[in-house]
Amino acid sequence: MRRLASGVCILSTKCSAGTPSAMTVSSVTSVSDTPPSLLVCVNNRTSTGEVLREGVPFCINVLSYNQELISRYCASPDSKNLRFSDNRWKYVSSSGAPYLEGSQAVFFCDQDQTISYNTHDIFIGRIQEVLVEAGPVSSLIYLDGSYQRL
């Protein structure tokens, strides 16, 4: 899979008690335009995976090339306390989930279905709202174990 280039995203949500949670994901795919939906694969042993199993709404933040550091924070359990230190996190969304301002795009999703498969859960989100950053496309890519710029 190291040879398959992937866009880098951060999945963000909050648990039913209101605590924010986020993790870096590269397994995000559109499912349908009717209804608008996407899927994301999450290891079922992660703390964010536990939160998602509560059925809470979530956001998929498609990262810009200049958001590599926040991606690294959200990818490492050792940086968990730094994940929400970036002042670009916004908490005003219809879903209640925090989102990252300045992302290439943000998809606000309600959970529609969950499929468990071995070590991962596949969460299908019904897209309720989309924000798109103005300007040229400058996505952060992950390929062969390192970050790349498109």
Side-chain angles (χ1 to χ4, degrees), residues 117-129:
Y117 187 80
N118 201 359
T119 59
H120 284 68
D121 292 320
I122 302 162
F123 295 95
I124 298 175
R126 189 176 291 224
I127 299 168
Q128 301 298 323
E129 184 180 351

Side-chain angles (χ1 to χ4, degrees), residues 22-148:
M23 67 182 294
T24 299
V25 293
S26 58
S27 184
V28 176
T29 303
S30 64
V31 174
S32 173
D33 64 352
T34 309
S37 52
L38 56 76
L39 68 78
V40 59
C41 298
V42 177
N43 188 302
N44 57 29
R45 292 176 299 190
T46 63
S47 58
T48 302
E50 290 176 22
V51 171
L52 286 170
R53 284 191 296 282
E54 295 178 11
V56 295
F58 62 89
C59 292
I60 297 295
N61 303 271
V62 180
L63 298 188
S64 297
Y65 71 88
N66 62 355
Q67 293 175 308
E68 180 180 335
L69 184 59
I70 188 73
S71 174
R72 289 183 183 279
Y73 288 161
C74 291
S76 171
D78 297 334
S79 302
K80 193 170 187 171
N81 63 331
L82 297 172
R83 291 180 185 178
F84 290 95
S85 62
D86 191 304
N87 64 1
R88 292 180 287 182
W89 283 107
K90 303 299 176 196
Y91 294 89
V92 184
S93 71
S94 58
S95 71
Y99 69 95
L100 194 56
E101 187 177 60
S103 296
Q104 288 290 289
V106 180
F107 298 93
F108 299 90
C109 300
D110 286 336
Q111 284 196 48
D112 199 32
Q113 191 173 5
T114 304
I115 301 163
S116 291
Y117 187 80
N118 201 359
T119 59
H120 284 68
D121 292 320
I122 302 162
F123 295 95
I124 298 175
R126 189 176 291 224
I127 299 168
Q128 301 298 323
E129 184 180 351
V130 179
L131 296 178
V132 177
E133 183 74 7
V137 175
S138 60
S139 297
L140 184 61
I141 305 297
Y142 196 75
L143 176 67
D144 196 23
S146 63
Y147 290 96
Q148 308 288 325

